[in-house]
Amino acid sequence: IVDRPLQVFHVEVEIKDINDNPPVFPATHKNLFISETRPLDSHFSLEGASDADIGANALLTYRLSPNEYFSLEVPTNDEQVTPLELVLKKPLDREVTSELLLVLKATDGGKPELTGTVELNITVLDVNDNAPVFDKAVYRTKLLENARNGTLVIRLNASDLDEGSNGHILYSFATDVSSNTEASFRIDANSGEIKVNGKIDFEEIKLWKLQIEAVDKGNPPMFGHCTILIEVLDINDNAPELLVTSLLLSIPEDAPPGTVIALISVTDHDAGGNARVTCSLTPQVPFKLVSTFKNYYSLVLDSALDREKVSEYALVLIARDGGSPSLSTMASVSVEVADVNDN
Ligand SMILES: *[C@@H]1O[C@H](CO)[C@@H](O)[C@H](O)[C@H]1NC(C)=O
Ligand SMILES: *[C@@H]1O[C@H](CO)[C@@H](O)[C@H](O)[C@H]1NC(C)=O
Ligand SMILES: *[C@@H]1O[C@H](CO)[C@@H](O)[C@H](O)[C@H]1NC(C)=O
């Protein structure tokens, strides 16, 4: 207002923008959850930043921190309606990378420029894409026969790279298991322990072949397999058996030495040393055992007889195996001496 004469002037003040506002994202941290099965070129929208300045001071450019999985797609039109998008350019694999931390940076066009950032925390979600795996296809183990019910045979340990229920393994005998197997062994579905459940008899089965299946709890589930060979070790639980076939019920007192009186065969159901049988005869008798073949003997006359001194012999045969402790069996053979007119 100018006085004398009174005059009114209008002044218009234009406030010039300076770049005093940085770009601001809606939040400084954003969590994204992306399944590992998403196909290449999938788009994931993001919210852009805003800048309170105007003109070039509010003209934003975006940059994503360098990484091998995602690139950034920025809308070309300057209306801020279209969201920013992450584009998948390399397949995700949770078993390789389960979490990615990226930084999205917005820079305005002011001089000097101001920036704003948002941290992107990308969690890769698991799908059941890994089967349980045993570290060997065939496991070999040994087990003493007559092992007590509950004896641990082997503890299996398969691994599954997936997480949670997709990696939770249950063990079982493969479905074609014989009832024989289930009567003799049991498997703990969770721990993978195989234990003795019934009688293990070397004389019945010397080698067990168990097919094992591991399945995860994913949907759909995935399977892994292995075979367990269990060699049963013999223990000396069978005594030798003696079979005596008498050829002569009585022997004339003038029979020559070497006359065969009986045939003896021995058997033992065990194996190895446990089945190596030696046969012996009561000492101090005019008879002896002659081995004719493996496990076959003849009882023969060893020296002259005289009915007028001893008219009958009660012989004892002992078969003893080589086990430790060893088992033995006895058999008695009586030999009558027949009279000859020699007096
Ligand atoms: C990323 O997000 C996951 C899941 O919400 C969380 O467990 C993890 O701690 C976060 N990482 C960081 C560095 O914030
Ligand atoms: C199974 O194997 C994994 C690694 O291979 C090991 O960390 C884990 O302790 C094992 N479990 C048993 C019960 O042996
Ligand atoms: C062995 O033990 C298990 C569990 O204790 C039992 O279910 C099974 O009947 C037993 N087997 C025999 C043959 O006694």
Side-chain angles (χ1 to χ4, degrees):
I1 297 167
V2 179
D3 219 358
R4 279 183 225 135
L6 184 81
Q7 273 191 313
V8 178
F9 293 92
H10 288 268
V11 178
E12 200 171 89
V13 179
E14 185 187 339
I15 300 172
K16 274 196 125 176
D17 184 42
I18 61 162
N19 193 20
D20 56 352
N21 287 287
V24 176
F25 283 97
T28 57
H29 192 95
K30 183 161 175 63
N31 289 325
L32 288 154
F33 298 89
I34 299 178
S35 162
E36 61 176 325
T37 49
R38 289 303 291 264
L40 280 187
D41 221 32
S42 294
H43 285 55
F44 308 92
S45 43
L46 293 173
E47 276 184 275
S50 54
D51 193 308
D53 295 317
I54 57 165
N57 290 340
L59 197 62
L60 303 182
T61 53
Y62 293 96
R63 287 254 305 281
L64 187 65
S65 56
N67 74 94
E68 46 184 329
Y69 293 99
F70 292 97
S71 61
L72 189 67
E73 213 166 85
V74 185
T76 42
N77 55 332
D78 48 8
E79 300 163 40
Q80 296 288 323
V81 237
T82 324
L84 295 173
E85 283 178 340
L86 285 181
V87 181
L88 189 61
K89 56 176 187 176
K90 180 183 166 183
L92 291 168
D93 185 355
R94 192 205 62 86
E95 286 73 44
V96 175
T97 312
S98 63
E99 190 182 304
L100 273 164
L101 278 176
L102 303 179
V103 175
L104 177 62
K105 185 173 176 181
T107 308
D108 65 23
K111 278 192 176 65
E113 61 191 25
L114 294 174
T115 60
T117 57
V118 55
E119 196 181 49
L120 304 177
N121 176 357
I122 300 172
T123 303
V124 182
L125 299 178
D126 188 43
V127 298
N128 194 22
D129 55 355
N130 288 283
V133 177
F134 288 97
D135 55 1
K136 285 194 226 163
V138 178
Y139 294 86
R140 287 167 202 276
T141 183
K142 293 177 179 178
L143 180 66
L144 275 179
E145 67 168 322
N146 300 346
R148 287 214 334 269
N149 188 358
T151 303
L152 179 66
V153 180
I154 193 171
R155 180 181 286 114
L156 292 171
N157 189 7
S159 53
D160 189 312
L161 293 176
D162 293 319
E163 66 173 359
S165 60
N166 290 339
H168 189 140
I169 300 174
L170 293 178
Y171 300 89
S172 62
F173 292 126
T175 41
D176 54 352
V177 65
S178 67
S179 57
N180 212 356
T181 301
E182 284 188 307
S184 301
F185 298 98
R186 62 175 186 264
I187 185 164
D188 185 307
N190 290 301
S191 68
E193 285 180 344
I194 294 179
K195 290 182 173 168
V196 171
N197 196 43
K199 185 159 165 51
I200 305 298
D201 189 358
F202 172 84
E203 286 74 39
E204 246 171 66
I205 297 180
K206 296 178 172 52
L207 183 71
W208 287 90
K209 192 168 141 193
L210 309 187
Q211 307 280 2
I212 307 296
E213 186 170 275
V215 57
D216 63 30
K217 287 181 165 177
N219 184 18
M222 295 189 80
F223 298 85
H225 294 92
C226 76
T227 302
I228 302 171
L229 295 178
I230 304 170
E231 185 189 339
V232 180
L233 302 177
D234 184 41
I235 63 173
N236 194 22
D237 58 350
N238 288 283
E241 286 164 21
L242 268 172
L243 181 68
V244 180
T245 311
S246 293
L247 300 179
L248 296 173
L249 290 176
S250 67
I251 175 167
E253 56 179 325
D254 63 352
T259 305
V260 178
I261 298 150
L263 298 177
I264 295 142
S265 72
V266 294
T267 49
D268 190 308
H269 295 299
D270 292 314
N274 292 339
R276 202 164 298 128
V277 181
T278 50
C279 231
S280 60
L281 184 66
T282 349
Q284 267 121 45
V285 289
F287 302 96
K288 66 176 178 186
L289 282 177
V290 175
S291 171
T292 54
F293 188 65
K294 208 176 82 169
N295 289 345
Y296 288 90
Y297 298 85
S298 297
L299 177 65
V300 300
L301 185 60
D302 193 27
S303 57
L305 296 172
D306 185 355
R307 195 205 59 84
E308 288 69 38
K309 282 196 185 125
V310 184
S311 63
E312 192 174 350
Y313 292 90
L315 306 178
V316 176
L317 291 165
I318 298 175
R320 183 177 293 283
D321 66 28
S324 159
S326 75
L327 297 172
S328 61
T329 300
M330 291 199 306
S332 48
V333 179
S334 67
V335 181
E336 200 177 299
V337 182
D339 189 37
V340 168
N341 190 18
D342 55 352
N343 287 283

